[in-house]
Amino acid sequence: MKETTLLINCPDKKGIIATVTNFILSKKGNTIYIEQHVDRELKEFFMRLECEFDQDEEKLALFKELFNTHVAKNYNMHWEMYNTEKKPKMALFVSKYDHCLYDILGRHASGELKVKIPIIISNHNDLAPIAKAFNIPFKHIPVTKATKEEAEAQQLEILREHKIDFIVLARYMQILSANFVDRFTHKIINIHHSFLPAFPGAKPYHSAYERGVKIIGATSHYVTSDLDEGPIIEQEIVRVSHIHNVQDFILKGRDLEKIVLSRAIKHHIERKVLVYNNKTVIFS
Amino acid sequence: MKETTLLINCPDKKGIIATVTNFILSKKGNTIYIEQHVDRELKEFFMRLECEFDQDEEKLALFKELFNTHVAKNYNMHWEMYNTEKKPKMALFVSKYDHCLYDILGRHASGELKVKIPIIISNHNDLAPIAKAFNIPFKHIPVTKATKEEAEAQQLEILREHKIDFIVLARYMQILSANFVDRFTHKIINIHHSFLPAFPGAKPYHSAYERGVKIIGATSHYVTSDLDEGPIIEQEIVRVSHIHNVQDFILKGRDLEKIVLSRAIKHHIERKVLVYNNKTVIFS
Amino acid sequence: MKETTLLINCPDKKGIIATVTNFILSKKGNTIYIEQHVDRELKEFFMRLECEFDQDEEKLALFKELFNTHVAKNYNMHWEMYNTEKKPKMALFVSKYDHCLYDILGRHASGELKVKIPIIISNHNDLAPIAKAFNIPFKHIPVTKATKEEAEAQQLEILREHKIDFIVLARYMQILSANFVDRFTHKIINIHHSFLPAFPGAKPYHSAYERGVKIIGATSHYVTSDLDEGPIIEQEIVRVSHIHNVQDFILKGRDLEKIVLSRAIKHHIERKVLVYNNKTVIFS
Amino acid sequence: MKETTLLINCPDKKGIIATVTNFILSKKGNTIYIEQHVDRELKEFFMRLECEFDQDEEKLALFKELFNTHVAKNYNMHWEMYNTEKKPKMALFVSKYDHCLYDILGRHASGELKVKIPIIISNHNDLAPIAKAFNIPFKHIPVTKATKEEAEAQQLEILREHKIDFIVLARYMQILSANFVDRFTHKIINIHHSFLPAFPGAKPYHSAYERGVKIIGATSHYVTSDLDEGPIIEQEIVRVSHIHNVQDFILKGRDLEKIVLSRAIKHHIERKVLVYNNKTVIFS
């Protein structure tokens, strides 16, 4: 029994659900879970569907072709299909901050994150011991203004080698080029340490302190070529007051960053995120 | 075009979604929204479905019959069908506290609550002026130990007269008899001023203060004959500290009670609640 | 027994607390509550102190003089002293939205807000019936670009007449001139319907929806001549998701606005706010 | 310059603050921070005070004596004085769950927790590798019904040896005897995986799931001989819904447990907790 996850969006029309579920039934599949949403302003239909097939890989490939021809094309669907049991491959990009790395590797070790982590890439060597403690290969690729293009080429090569499905920037302190980002559209997850769109750019905790806000936040989003402007996946906040200084903001923020990033990773792994119009639909 | 909401739960089986959506299609209906959930432990299937029919009332009645015969029976479904555009009729029961009453009538006046309020019933006369200010009929039915049975008979008579669909106890300070409750199964919404199951019964804010909790809450639930044990619809909390005394708890709690009760009422009005096994499924 | 609240800030130095409490003791006062804070970066000392005196008004006036001469000048204090039992006078400015007005008047009627409300001023007539229902005088002063100066002169005259201590803009949809604002420095409280500094200006819920945020907020702040840039008093947030449209944001936001604004008003009434460097210290 | 923290509670009376701050001034100390609170119902005075002395240890010992004789006795004070710069010694008790241990050791390694951890004690051997990775001594002391008394004697011996100031039960799955607990009054911090007083005892996530709550929580408290009844230090919550099963509750709860326990430990380390009447005063 193969479990399959289907993500669909297309212009809203009558009969989509019936068409899809019938097609699955006709191919001896069983729909076990549907979540669906219509954005009435955009008139766009979104659906996440889990189904089971009593078929081998080869027949599934055929199913995909038939689905495309007989269903998807008729409705102008943008669609993706995943083998639910197959763990995606995630690359971690880090720099010097260790809290998100510790958190992700801890969750991975305990089985909470159903993902493979073939490689950690960093522009610094500082976190190599943590990677080692968790038995994950660590690749140090320094990045300077002069070497950036070359460094990214090297990174891309490694990602290709390991057949990486998506990238997590766990407080990676370099900006990726548009060229790099375009190869992983909606497949690079970043954690920004502010409640976006408040305080984009560098040193958001300092800016938040300066402004005297009563609540700080963290935001996880897909990376696009517009810095800090990509589709938001998850946000969380914590209260602060006049007794907290910048250092307190940073400490409180760390806990936020860990939680927000790990939630975003989980949504992505479980194929619960659809991006449309630079916004995310997060199925529950 | 009639909009219809269908709520279904039944033992989980293959093909339910396809069967239901096809049946609707075959009767010239259009499924516009599905949310569905399977409780894997209980092996129970839950679905909320919105669809449109190009039919008059009479044909819809026929549809119900056919649906029951050709679909529901085969799957042992428990199901309800509602005309989405028809506002349900809500009776308010109050005593002396005015904050929830003000809040509900304010939301109703502004059009936020899509419901009719034919009657407010109270065991005290104190809140009659508020009812009058909002132009809602107010009926004073005093309740004592001796007159309780008679009073409830009178209440039931009024509810029947006004064809009341469901009742909201907006800080109504009398316990309803099992006889009364049984006539409105999962159709009486109460607000309890604690984070149930903590602090059931009377004076929960006093108990919370006594215990030294750091967070207080409010809980809205359907009333069953087990006091404070009915299915929980909504809960919310607020932080407290050692600087707050019982009076502060009560003030903070009031805001919670208003918000939690109004959210529960909205869920109920929009037919988003299914009760199963003394728990609620709240569709989004 | 007169209860007095003293708010002090000054450059941090040794011995301030002992000096102040001793001075109070020497004048037969009793310090009953102190909360104090030092901003170590700014090296600024902040204190809120409640004390009791067994004295009449006249002697208190003398105490103020002596405190100024013998204590405040030595430490370069900025200080304010209030008779705790005397209710401040608050003017409400409104336009067409009624939810904050209902909320404030309801809390006032129930005794939750210890304040006098001598006047409600509005640039529209729509909310006059609500003012009437709560027995508060209502003054309609239309404002257009051409009449703005004149209208503000009229508003100021009314505020003077009623000896207004502070103003609350309960979703008042006009921008006050710098000239007006400067006469009520840190005495005008506004509610902005976003999580500032995100989404300043008009239509923040639309912008938040557009950006696809997962959390929306509301912010109460003192009005300064820089629009939406004044010292933040209170903020609160609520989660949203892809299923919510702009209208849902607005409805959810209303509840936030009511709560945030009423909390800010309470802090102000209880003399718990000190402004320094465009930020607030909120004593607990 | 020695920084000292003073925690005081006593029956409320006039002049306590002035007396204490003057006494410190008279001994050439400088009061730099006061937070103070009066429980008006209990008529009890609470104060946390930070001050600096230009003195050596010996003179400080003398100061303590004089403070006791000339101040504390007159007011029936319960008081404690700490050298702020001296890190307290914390023992960790664990069993098989690793998430709180990872979290605490990670925060300790990064310098976030200003504490010494001389020893980890466990009734199982499972977590020994984690202790080793963080270079903290690990002592395995199995506990059975039959050996409990002996095991506790052994634990107490180790705590004495290392001059342990307080104990943290980081999901330690054994109940400590009253004899053990009495030796560390308000010096044993536990994390309970529910929103106490809801769901005391074992398997709270299962009970919460069973009851159908919409919010789950975690509670950190001082251990007393009444199980799960000790003074609450910190609580936090997270929303759940019908889509979450017990396993989801457990995963979400883990994040709560880590955060709540680490906050409680920080409060304790910073000497911000006073216990009175089985409740805590948490200074800010």
Side-chain angles (χ1 to χ4, degrees):
Chain A
M1 271 299 200
K2 299 272 177 223
E3 282 198 32
T4 300
T5 302
L6 196 55
L7 288 172
I8 294 170
N9 64 294
C10 61
D12 193 26
K13 250 192 183 173
K14 281 195 188 184
I16 303 175
I17 298 172
T19 305
V20 172
T21 51
N22 279 327
F23 185 80
I24 289 168
L25 210 59
S26 74
K27 305 301 171 202
K28 293 185 181 134
N30 180 32
T31 298
I32 48 172
Y33 187 85
I34 278 188
E35 193 178 347
Q36 167 264 346
H37 168 67
V38 174
D39 186 315
R40 299 200 179 213
E41 268 147 274
L42 303 170
K43 297 192 196 323
E44 184 79 7
F45 173 96
F46 301 90
M47 182 160 69
R48 182 180 183 278
L49 185 152
E50 291 180 19
C51 53
E52 293 168 332
F53 288 98
D54 192 4
Q55 302 198 337
D56 55 20
E57 287 284 344
E58 204 181 316
K59 289 218 175 130
L60 263 182
L62 181 64
F63 173 83
K64 281 196 187 188
E65 261 189 61
L66 295 171
F67 182 81
N68 200 41
T69 314
H70 296 294
V71 181
K73 282 194 174 160
N74 299 336
Y75 289 93
N76 276 317
M77 283 179 180
H78 173 267
W79 66 285
E80 305 162 35
M81 193 180 291
Y82 299 99
N83 178 337
T84 310
E85 287 132 276
K86 209 171 148 186
K87 288 185 183 175
K89 287 179 186 149
M90 170 172 90
L92 285 172
F93 278 46
V94 298
S95 292
K96 292 184 165 185
Y97 292 112
D98 63 2
H99 55 286
C100 285
L101 182 62
Y102 261 128
D103 188 68
I104 292 168
L105 297 183
R107 289 175 198 271
H108 181 246
S110 75
E112 188 183 326
L113 295 178
K114 314 239 175 288
V115 71
K116 287 181 187 168
I117 310 179
I119 189 74
I120 298 171
I121 293 175
S122 179
N123 56 333
H124 294 284
N125 234 328
D126 307 50
L127 305 185
I130 301 177
K132 202 182 167 192
F134 283 89
N135 281 315
I136 313 270
F138 181 93
K139 180 71 187 170
H140 177 210
I141 304 178
V143 182
T144 65
K145 239 183 187 172
T147 65
K148 183 161 186 165
E149 210 178 316
E150 193 189 330
E152 287 198 346
Q154 208 183 333
Q155 291 167 350
L156 286 168
E157 181 53 32
I158 292 172
L159 300 174
R160 237 185 327 260
E161 256 172 46
H162 288 96
K163 294 185 179 156
I164 291 301
D165 292 303
F166 71 105
I167 300 165
V168 169
L169 309 183
R171 298 298 309 273
Y172 181 62
M173 304 304 276
Q174 287 284 325
I175 295 170
L176 298 170
S177 73
N179 171 50
F180 188 107
V181 170
D182 288 348
R183 289 165 194 241
F184 285 90
T185 306
H186 305 148
K187 293 190 182 312
I188 308 175
I189 300 174
N190 186 39
I191 177 73
H192 184 79
H193 40 318
S194 90
F195 187 79
L196 287 176
F199 313 121
K203 300 230 167 199
Y205 292 128
H206 290 77
S207 309
Y209 175 76
E210 194 69 22
R211 180 63 186 90
V213 295
K214 299 301 184 190
I215 289 174
I216 57 171
T219 304
S220 189
H221 63 93
Y222 287 119
V223 176
T224 61
S225 47
D226 288 330
L227 193 66
D228 299 334
E229 294 284 339
I232 293 172
I233 308 169
E234 173 65 340
Q235 301 187 293
E236 192 53 273
I237 59 96
V238 69
R239 295 190 81 84
V240 291
S241 80
H242 64 274
I243 66 163
H244 300 111
N245 57 26
V246 173
Q247 192 53 35
D248 296 322
F249 278 34
I250 290 171
L251 277 182
K252 281 173 171 279
R254 270 192 207 167
D255 280 343
L256 284 181
E257 293 163 33
K258 291 189 285 191
I259 283 174
V260 170
L261 182 55
S262 71
R263 282 190 201 151
I265 294 172
K266 266 192 239 180
H267 291 324
H268 187 89
I269 291 174
E270 295 170 0
R271 313 298 187 186
K272 293 194 164 167
V273 190
L274 256 175
V275 178
Y276 186 75
N277 233 14
N278 206 43
K279 301 204 279 191
T280 60
V281 169
I282 310 282
F283 294 106
S284 58
Chain B
M1 270 300 199
K2 299 274 177 223
E3 282 198 30
T4 300
T5 302
L6 194 57
L7 289 172
I8 293 171
N9 64 293
C10 61
D12 192 26
K13 251 192 184 174
K14 282 194 187 184
I16 303 175
I17 299 172
T19 305
V20 172
T21 52
N22 280 327
F23 186 80
I24 289 169
L25 210 58
S26 75
K27 303 302 171 204
K28 294 185 180 133
N30 180 32
T31 297
I32 49 172
Y33 188 86
I34 278 188
E35 194 180 346
Q36 166 263 345
H37 168 67
V38 174
D39 187 314
R40 299 199 178 215
E41 269 147 274
L42 302 172
K43 298 192 195 322
E44 185 79 6
F45 173 96
F46 301 89
M47 183 161 68
R48 183 180 182 279
L49 186 153
E50 292 180 20
C51 52
E52 293 169 333
F53 287 98
D54 191 5
Q55 302 198 337
D56 56 19
E57 286 283 344
E58 204 180 318
K59 288 219 175 132
L60 263 183
L62 180 64
F63 174 82
K64 281 196 187 189
E65 261 189 61
L66 295 171
F67 182 80
N68 199 41
T69 314
H70 296 294
V71 182
K73 283 195 174 159
N74 299 337
Y75 289 94
N76 276 317
M77 285 180 179
H78 173 267
W79 66 284
E80 305 162 35
M81 193 180 289
Y82 300 100
N83 178 339
T84 311
E85 287 132 279
K86 209 171 149 187
K87 288 185 183 175
K89 287 178 186 150
M90 170 173 90
L92 286 172
F93 278 45
V94 297
S95 291
K96 292 184 164 184
Y97 292 112
D98 62 4
H99 55 286
C100 285
L101 183 62
Y102 261 128
D103 188 69
I104 293 167
L105 297 183
R107 290 175 199 269
H108 181 246
S110 74
E112 189 184 324
L113 295 180
K114 314 239 174 288
V115 72
K116 288 181 186 168
I117 310 179
I119 188 74
I120 298 170
I121 293 174
S122 179
N123 57 332
H124 294 284
N125 234 328
D126 306 50
L127 305 184
I130 300 176
K132 201 180 167 192
F134 283 87
N135 282 315
I136 313 271
F138 180 93
K139 180 70 188 171
H140 177 210
I141 304 178
V143 181
T144 65
K145 240 183 186 174
T147 66
K148 182 160 188 167
E149 209 177 317
E150 193 189 330
E152 288 198 345
Q154 208 183 334
Q155 291 168 348
L156 286 168
E157 181 53 32
I158 292 171
L159 300 175
R160 240 183 327 260
E161 256 173 46
H162 289 95
K163 294 183 179 154
I164 292 301
D165 292 304
F166 73 105
I167 299 165
V168 169
L169 310 183
R171 298 296 309 273
Y172 180 64
M173 305 302 277
Q174 288 285 326
I175 296 169
L176 299 170
S177 73
N179 171 50
F180 188 106
V181 169
D182 288 349
R183 290 166 193 239
F184 286 90
T185 306
H186 306 149
K187 293 189 181 314
I188 308 175
I189 299 173
N190 187 38
I191 177 73
H192 184 78
H193 40 318
S194 90
F195 188 79
L196 287 175
F199 313 121
K203 302 231 168 199
Y205 292 128
H206 290 76
S207 308
Y209 175 76
E210 194 70 22
R211 180 63 186 90
V213 295
K214 299 302 183 189
I215 288 174
I216 56 171
T219 304
S220 189
H221 62 93
Y222 287 119
V223 177
T224 61
S225 47
D226 288 331
L227 192 64
D228 299 333
E229 294 284 337
I232 293 171
I233 308 169
E234 173 66 339
Q235 301 188 294
E236 192 53 274
I237 60 94
V238 70
R239 294 190 81 85
V240 291
S241 80
H242 64 272
I243 66 164
H244 300 111
N245 58 25
V246 173
Q247 191 53 34
D248 297 321
F249 278 34
I250 291 171
L251 278 181
K252 280 172 172 280
R254 270 192 207 168
D255 281 343
L256 285 181
E257 293 163 32
K258 290 189 285 191
I259 283 174
V260 170
L261 183 54
S262 71
R263 283 190 201 151
I265 293 172
K266 267 193 238 180
H267 291 324
H268 187 89
I269 290 173
E270 294 170 0
R271 314 297 187 185
K272 292 194 166 168
V273 191
L274 256 174
V275 179
Y276 185 75
N277 234 13
N278 204 43
K279 300 205 280 192
T280 60
V281 168
I282 310 282
F283 294 106
S284 58
Chain C
M1 273 298 202
K2 299 273 177 224
E3 282 198 30
T4 300
T5 301
L6 195 56
L7 288 173
I8 294 171
N9 64 294
C10 61
D12 192 25
K13 249 193 185 174
K14 282 196 186 185
I16 303 175
I17 298 172
T19 305
V20 172
T21 52
N22 279 328
F23 185 81
I24 290 168
L25 210 60
S26 74
K27 303 303 169 202
K28 294 185 178 133
N30 180 32
T31 298
I32 48 172
Y33 186 86
I34 277 189
E35 193 179 346
Q36 168 263 347
H37 169 66
V38 174
D39 187 315
R40 300 200 177 214
E41 268 146 275
L42 303 171
K43 298 191 196 319
E44 185 79 6
F45 174 96
F46 302 88
M47 184 161 67
R48 184 181 182 278
L49 186 152
E50 291 181 19
C51 53
E52 293 169 333
F53 287 98
D54 192 4
Q55 302 197 340
D56 56 18
E57 287 283 344
E58 204 180 319
K59 288 220 175 130
L60 263 183
L62 181 64
F63 173 83
K64 280 196 188 190
E65 262 189 60
L66 295 171
F67 182 80
N68 199 41
T69 315
H70 296 293
V71 181
K73 283 194 175 162
N74 299 337
Y75 289 93
N76 276 317
M77 284 179 181
H78 173 268
W79 66 284
E80 305 162 34
M81 193 180 289
Y82 299 99
N83 177 337
T84 311
E85 286 132 280
K86 208 170 149 187
K87 288 184 184 176
K89 285 178 187 149
M90 170 172 89
L92 285 172
F93 278 45
V94 297
S95 291
K96 292 184 164 184
Y97 291 112
D98 62 3
H99 55 285
C100 285
L101 182 62
Y102 261 128
D103 188 68
I104 292 168
L105 297 183
R107 289 176 199 270
H108 181 246
S110 75
E112 189 183 324
L113 294 179
K114 314 238 174 289
V115 70
K116 288 181 186 168
I117 310 178
I119 187 74
I120 297 171
I121 292 174
S122 180
N123 57 332
H124 293 284
N125 233 327
D126 306 50
L127 305 184
I130 300 177
K132 202 182 167 191
F134 283 89
N135 281 314
I136 313 271
F138 181 92
K139 179 70 187 171
H140 177 209
I141 304 178
V143 181
T144 65
K145 239 183 186 172
T147 66
K148 183 162 185 166
E149 209 179 315
E150 194 189 329
E152 287 198 346
Q154 209 183 333
Q155 290 167 349
L156 285 167
E157 181 53 34
I158 292 171
L159 299 174
R160 240 185 325 264
E161 256 173 46
H162 289 95
K163 294 183 178 156
I164 292 301
D165 291 304
F166 72 105
I167 299 165
V168 170
L169 310 182
R171 297 298 308 274
Y172 181 64
M173 304 304 276
Q174 287 285 326
I175 295 170
L176 298 171
S177 73
N179 170 49
F180 188 106
V181 169
D182 288 348
R183 290 166 193 239
F184 286 90
T185 305
H186 305 149
K187 293 189 181 315
I188 308 176
I189 300 172
N190 186 38
I191 177 74
H192 184 79
H193 41 318
S194 91
F195 188 78
L196 287 176
F199 313 121
K203 301 231 168 198
Y205 292 128
H206 290 76
S207 308
Y209 175 76
E210 193 70 22
R211 179 63 186 91
V213 295
K214 299 303 182 188
I215 288 174
I216 57 170
T219 303
S220 190
H221 63 93
Y222 287 120
V223 176
T224 61
S225 46
D226 288 330
L227 192 65
D228 299 334
E229 293 285 337
I232 293 172
I233 308 169
E234 173 66 339
Q235 300 187 293
E236 192 54 273
I237 59 94
V238 70
R239 294 190 82 83
V240 291
S241 81
H242 64 273
I243 67 163
H244 300 110
N245 58 25
V246 174
Q247 191 54 35
D248 297 321
F249 278 35
I250 290 171
L251 277 181
K252 281 173 171 278
R254 271 193 206 166
D255 280 343
L256 284 182
E257 293 164 31
K258 291 190 284 190
I259 283 175
V260 170
L261 182 55
S262 71
R263 283 192 201 150
I265 294 173
K266 266 193 239 179
H267 290 325
H268 187 88
I269 291 174
E270 294 170 1
R271 314 297 187 185
K272 292 193 165 168
V273 190
L274 255 175
V275 179
Y276 185 76
N277 233 14
N278 206 43
K279 300 203 281 190
T280 59
V281 169
I282 310 283
F283 294 106
S284 58
Chain D
M1 270 302 199
K2 298 275 176 220
E3 282 198 32
T4 299
T5 302
L6 195 56
L7 288 172
I8 295 170
N9 64 294
C10 61
D12 191 27
K13 250 193 184 173
K14 282 194 189 185
I16 302 175
I17 298 172
T19 304
V20 172
T21 52
N22 279 327
F23 186 80
I24 289 168
L25 210 60
S26 75
K27 303 302 170 204
K28 293 184 181 134
N30 179 33
T31 298
I32 49 172
Y33 188 86
I34 278 188
E35 194 179 346
Q36 167 264 346
H37 169 66
V38 174
D39 187 315
R40 301 205 175 209
E41 267 146 274
L42 302 171
K43 297 190 196 322
E44 185 79 7
F45 174 96
F46 300 89
M47 183 159 70
R48 183 180 182 279
L49 186 151
E50 291 181 20
C51 52
E52 294 169 332
F53 287 99
D54 192 3
Q55 302 198 340
D56 56 18
E57 286 284 345
E58 203 181 316
K59 287 218 175 131
L60 263 183
L62 180 64
F63 173 83
K64 281 197 188 188
E65 260 190 60
L66 294 171
F67 182 80
N68 200 40
T69 314
H70 296 294
V71 181
K73 282 196 174 159
N74 299 337
Y75 288 93
N76 275 317
M77 285 179 180
H78 173 266
W79 66 285
E80 304 162 36
M81 193 179 290
Y82 299 100
N83 179 337
T84 309
E85 287 133 279
K86 207 170 148 189
K87 289 184 184 176
K89 286 179 187 148
M90 170 172 90
L92 286 172
F93 278 45
V94 297
S95 292
K96 292 184 165 186
Y97 292 113
D98 62 4
H99 54 286
C100 285
L101 182 62
Y102 261 129
D103 188 69
I104 293 168
L105 296 183
R107 289 175 198 270
H108 181 246
S110 75
E112 188 183 325
L113 294 179
K114 315 238 174 288
V115 72
K116 288 181 187 169
I117 311 179
I119 188 75
I120 298 172
I121 293 174
S122 179
N123 56 333
H124 294 284
N125 233 328
D126 306 51
L127 305 184
I130 301 177
K132 201 181 167 192
F134 283 89
N135 282 315
I136 314 270
F138 180 92
K139 179 71 188 170
H140 178 210
I141 304 178
V143 182
T144 65
K145 240 183 187 172
T147 66
K148 184 162 186 165
E149 209 178 317
E150 193 188 330
E152 288 198 344
Q154 209 182 333
Q155 292 167 347
L156 286 168
E157 181 53 31
I158 292 172
L159 299 174
R160 239 185 326 261
E161 257 172 46
H162 289 95
K163 294 185 179 156
I164 292 300
D165 292 304
F166 72 105
I167 300 165
V168 169
L169 310 183
R171 297 297 310 273
Y172 181 63
M173 305 304 276
Q174 287 285 327
I175 295 169
L176 299 171
S177 73
N179 171 49
F180 188 106
V181 170
D182 289 348
R183 289 164 193 239
F184 286 89
T185 306
H186 306 148
K187 293 190 182 311
I188 308 175
I189 299 174
N190 186 38
I191 177 73
H192 184 79
H193 40 318
S194 91
F195 188 77
L196 286 175
F199 312 121
K203 301 231 167 197
Y205 292 128
H206 290 77
S207 308
Y209 176 76
E210 194 70 22
R211 179 63 186 91
V213 294
K214 299 302 183 189
I215 288 174
I216 57 170
T219 304
S220 189
H221 62 93
Y222 287 119
V223 176
T224 61
S225 46
D226 288 331
L227 192 65
D228 298 334
E229 294 284 338
I232 293 171
I233 308 170
E234 173 65 340
Q235 300 188 293
E236 192 52 273
I237 59 95
V238 70
R239 295 190 80 84
V240 291
S241 81
H242 64 274
I243 66 163
H244 300 111
N245 58 26
V246 174
Q247 191 53 34
D248 296 322
F249 279 34
I250 290 171
L251 277 181
K252 281 172 171 279
R254 271 193 206 166
D255 281 343
L256 284 181
E257 293 162 33
K258 291 189 284 191
I259 283 174
V260 170
L261 182 54
S262 71
R263 284 191 200 150
I265 293 173
K266 267 193 239 181
H267 291 325
H268 187 88
I269 290 173
E270 294 171 0
R271 313 298 187 185
K272 293 194 165 167
V273 190
L274 256 174
V275 178
Y276 185 76
N277 234 13
N278 205 43
K279 300 204 279 191
T280 60
V281 169
I282 311 282
F283 294 105
S284 59

